[in-house]
């Protein structure tokens, strides 16, 4: 069983060092990073000639005229510019379930659903991160830059030895590894991402995923046309939840190789590929605030009720992508971390609920507190808008009759939720082809008993 200990690190020359890699610390910061001294120009962005014979390239994450506080861009100084590649061609897909972003033909799926752990590839099959992606659910349209897609990935080979990288024109990827540590190589540098960590690769950035511990499985949340932010803290104050200082961005690292490299490009929900004669990871230096980053979930500072009642799960929000309606998220990334439960006269597990949001849950390790049987690491569940859900019968009876002493909750486990204000459609693969939906999920509530002690009455006055 895993635990929630923080990944050890040191600070050296102003950088956070974890294992073999160094990182800049901070969320939304203006960073500058050089793999060679004097790479970045002094006092300007695009000089007539760049130092070291490099090319200058800007990567925008927002329109030029966005307000300053939300304007995102980075300047890259690279050996060759990104524009040097052969024409794009449609990418043949081994599985039609991969990369589904069109929902018009998907039948509504209203049932409360639980998926058993998704299968890892067989040893005889060589499946990388791109090939191992399967769409579970989503809504919206990447062409209008509004919506989400939820994927699971299962893979057993690395992209790096294949000289292959992925670029997403449609939105940001939030990657949640559940099994197997990842090495995520980006144009900005390298991140190692282990289970109980997440990473975000914003739109337009080229990256590859290598496997450091054998086959890997995990979850991906994609948001179209918008970006993740830290949630506002309101009356919590200046500190709490995910601290900006704990988000880590890789430092510049480059390679200069002549090779037959393939760039896989996701564009308007379709997949294309283009060949080029060099590695895209040739950025010698960069500066800006549009960057990839990672975060260790063990560093989340938990807020919880200390007197009575169960607080709403929004207090566990790590990152949010807001809609145009204030306080309403296109997507929230929420975790349910180890914590103390101390409330008096309170049913402490999650309450029964019908939500205005869609709730997709996954389990990284351990047992989910509200359903300790059946919801397994590497599996998932979906409770759609206004569809009732809550603790199973065993959990209800136990929590209703236990001694309310201060107790640890969720030790040895880490579950999470992708929550969205959008009605999510499920793919045919998720509902049928994968054969992972538990047909008996509804039975976890079948044993709920009537405990009503008042007199029997009818809503019809004539029968009272």
């Amino acid at each position: 069983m895993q635990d929630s200990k923080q990944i050890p690190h040191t600070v050296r020359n102003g950088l956070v060092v974890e294992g073999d890699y160094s990182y800049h610390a901070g969320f939304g910061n203006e960073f500058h990073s050089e793999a060679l001294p004097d790479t970045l120009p002094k006092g300007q962005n695009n000089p007539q000639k760049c130092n070291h014979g490099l090319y200058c390239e800007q990567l925008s994450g927002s329109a030029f005229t966005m307000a300053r506080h939300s304007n995102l861009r980075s300047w890259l100084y690279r050996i060759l510019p990104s524009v040097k590649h052969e024409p794009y061609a449609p990418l043949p897909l081994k599985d039609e379930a991969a990369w589904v972003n069109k929902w018009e033909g998907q039948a509504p799926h209203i049932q409360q659903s639980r998926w058993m752990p998704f299968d890892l590839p067989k040893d005889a099959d060589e499946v990388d991160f791109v090939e191992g992606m399967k769409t579970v659910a989503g809504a919206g349209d990447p062409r209008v830059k509004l919506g989400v897609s939820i994927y699971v990935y299962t893979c057993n080979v690395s992209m790096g030895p294949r000289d292959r990288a992925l670029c997403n024109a449609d939105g940001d990827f939030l990657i949640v590894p559940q099994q197997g540590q990842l090495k995520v190589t980006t144009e900005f540098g390298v991140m190692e991402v282990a289970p109980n960590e997440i990473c975000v690769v914003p739109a337009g950035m080229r990256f590859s995923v290598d496997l450091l511990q054998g086959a890997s499985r995990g979850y991906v949340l994609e948001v179209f046309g918008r970006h993740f932010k830290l949630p506002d803290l309101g009356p919590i104050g200046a500190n709490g939840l995910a601290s900006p200082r704990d988000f880590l961005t890789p430092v510049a690292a480059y390679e200069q190789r002549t090779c037959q490299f393939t760039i896989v490009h996701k564009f308007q929900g379709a997949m294309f590929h283009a060949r080029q004669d060099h590695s895209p990871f040739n950025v010698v230096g960069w500066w800006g605030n549009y960057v990839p980053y990672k975060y260790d979930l063990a560093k989340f500072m938990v807020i919880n009720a200390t007197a009575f009642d169960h607080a709403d799960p929004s207090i566990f929000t790590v990152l949010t992508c807001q809609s145009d309606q204030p306080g309403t998220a296109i997507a929230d990334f929420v975790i349910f971390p180890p914590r103390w439960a101390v409330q008096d006269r309170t049913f402490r597990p999650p309450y029964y609920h019908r939500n205005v949001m869609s709730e997709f849950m996954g389990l990284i390790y351990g047992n989910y507190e509200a359903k300790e049987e059946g919801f397994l690491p590497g599996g998932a569940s979906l409770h759609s808008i206004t569809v009732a859900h809550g603790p199973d019968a065993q959990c209800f009876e136990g929590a209703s009759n236990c001694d309310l002493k201060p107790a640890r909750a969720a030790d040895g486990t880490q579950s999470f939720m992708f929550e969205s204000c959008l009605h999510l459609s499920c793919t045919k693969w998720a509902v049928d082809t994968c054969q992972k939906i538990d047909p008996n999920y509804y039975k976890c509530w079948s044993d709920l008993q009537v405990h009503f002690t008042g007199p029997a009455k009818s809503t019809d006055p004539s029968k009272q």
Side-chain angles (χ1 to χ4, degrees):
M1 178 181 293
Q2 300 182 35
D3 59 32
S4 58
K5 291 182 180 178
Q6 297 180 8
I7 295 174
H9 71 270
T10 59
V11 178
R12 188 181 307 146
N13 297 324
L15 298 175
V16 174
V17 181
E18 286 185 1
D20 295 331
Y21 298 100
S22 298
Y23 304 88
H24 301 282
F27 189 93
N29 296 28
E30 295 276 358
F31 298 114
H32 69 274
S33 192
E34 295 179 319
L36 286 179
D38 297 321
T39 295
L40 301 182
K42 305 294 192 295
Q44 65 178 125
N45 295 322
N46 54 321
Q48 183 181 25
K49 289 188 176 182
C50 294
N51 292 345
H52 306 308
L54 299 172
Y55 288 84
C56 174
E57 178 178 287
Q58 182 177 195
L59 175 62
S60 293
S62 65
F64 290 142
T65 52
M66 285 284 285
R68 184 180 287 263
H69 69 270
S70 55
N71 204 300
L72 299 171
R73 52 80 187 94
S74 286
W75 288 89
L76 313 178
Y77 300 89
R78 55 197 315 151
I79 296 169
L80 280 171
S82 301
V83 72
K84 187 183 179 184
H85 60 77
E86 297 177 9
Y88 287 107
L91 177 71
L93 296 176
K94 295 181 180 179
D95 193 328
E96 64 179 11
W99 308 107
V100 175
N101 288 158
K102 297 179 181 179
W103 311 105
E104 293 82 359
Q106 309 293 338
H109 182 73
I110 192 173
Q111 303 294 347
Q112 300 105 328
S113 297
R114 179 168 66 193
W115 287 267
M116 304 305 286
F118 297 96
D119 291 335
L120 293 166
K122 297 178 181 178
D123 291 341
D125 298 328
E126 293 190 344
V127 179
D128 67 20
F129 182 81
V130 172
E131 297 164 336
M133 196 80 78
K134 300 291 187 297
T135 313
V136 177
D141 189 337
R143 294 171 297 180
V144 296
K145 297 186 176 183
L146 179 63
V148 299
S149 283
I150 295 172
Y151 309 87
V152 295
Y153 73 85
T154 57
C155 52
N156 61 357
V157 297
S158 297
M159 294 174 64
R162 293 181 163 189
D163 287 337
R164 203 175 195 208
L166 173 62
C167 181
N168 184 4
D170 294 338
D172 292 6
F173 281 142
L174 188 157
I175 301 171
V176 186
Q178 181 271 320
Q179 176 177 321
Q181 188 172 6
L182 306 179
K183 175 187 173 184
V184 181
T185 302
T186 77
E187 295 171 274
F188 292 76
V190 181
M191 302 180 286
E192 284 192 356
V193 188
N196 213 44
E197 289 186 294
I198 61 168
C199 73
V200 172
V201 182
M205 298 181 185
R206 297 172 174 183
F207 71 102
S208 68
V209 176
D210 292 346
L211 311 182
L212 300 180
Q213 296 175 331
S216 181
R217 174 174 56 201
Y219 313 84
V220 178
L221 172 62
E222 179 186 19
V223 293
F224 302 150
R226 304 185 182 212
H227 303 294
F228 290 103
K229 300 178 180 179
L230 292 174
D232 291 331
L233 296 181
I236 291 175
N239 307 287
L241 309 186
S243 173
R245 67 181 293 194
D246 293 326
F247 288 82
L248 303 179
T249 289
V251 300
Y254 70 94
E255 61 181 14
Q256 183 178 14
R257 289 194 297 121
T258 299
C259 56
Q260 286 299 309
F261 212 100
T262 300
I263 306 296
V264 177
H265 212 112
K266 181 176 182 289
F267 181 80
Q268 296 184 16
M271 303 300 291
F272 299 86
H273 64 149
R275 295 188 181 278
Q276 59 185 51
D277 61 5
H278 60 280
S279 169
F281 307 123
N282 63 357
V283 177
V284 182
W286 59 265
W287 82 270
N289 63 351
Y290 190 51
V291 295
Y293 54 87
K294 73 168 192 167
Y295 176 73
D296 180 358
L297 301 182
K299 295 180 178 178
F300 187 81
M301 196 273 266
V302 179
I303 302 291
N304 205 359
T306 58
F308 61 89
D309 277 355
H310 189 291
D312 294 332
S314 49
I315 61 171
F316 300 134
T317 301
V318 179
L319 291 168
T320 185
C321 177
Q322 289 290 297
S323 71
D324 292 333
Q325 182 176 356
T328 303
I330 295 291
D332 281 333
F333 175 64
V334 180
I335 62 173
F336 302 98
R339 61 196 181 276
W340 281 98
V342 299
Q343 306 98 306
D344 291 328
R345 61 184 192 282
T346 295
F347 182 78
R348 291 177 176 174
Y351 42 70
Y352 294 99
H353 194 203
R354 290 178 293 164
N355 198 353
V356 72
M357 310 284 277
S358 301
E359 300 182 13
F360 177 92
M361 287 192 63
L363 185 59
I364 299 173
Y365 60 88
N367 299 302
Y368 177 53
E369 57 195 287
K371 297 182 182 70
E372 294 195 0
E373 301 294 333
F375 188 39
L376 301 176
S381 69
L382 176 63
H383 302 127
S384 296
I385 291 174
T386 75
V387 174
H389 55 280
D392 59 23
Q394 179 181 350
C395 178
F396 176 81
E397 294 297 337
S400 298
N401 297 289
C402 68
D403 188 1
L404 290 179
K405 296 179 179 179
R408 295 289 299 170
D411 273 347
T413 185
Q414 182 68 78
S415 55
F416 70 88
M417 179 166 64
F418 299 152
E419 187 176 54
S420 176
C421 66
L422 303 177
H423 275 287
L424 299 182
S425 296
C426 288
T427 62
K428 183 178 184 296
W429 179 85
V431 175
D432 184 20
T433 308
C434 74
Q435 295 293 297
K436 289 299 178 181
I437 281 190
D438 180 0
N440 297 315
Y441 181 38
Y442 74 97
K443 293 181 180 179
C444 75
W445 298 291
S446 296
D447 291 334
L448 290 169
Q449 302 296 311
V450 174
H451 296 287
F452 181 62
T453 57
K457 288 189 175 183
S458 171
T459 56
D460 185 347
S462 66
K463 296 181 180 179
Q464 295 183 10

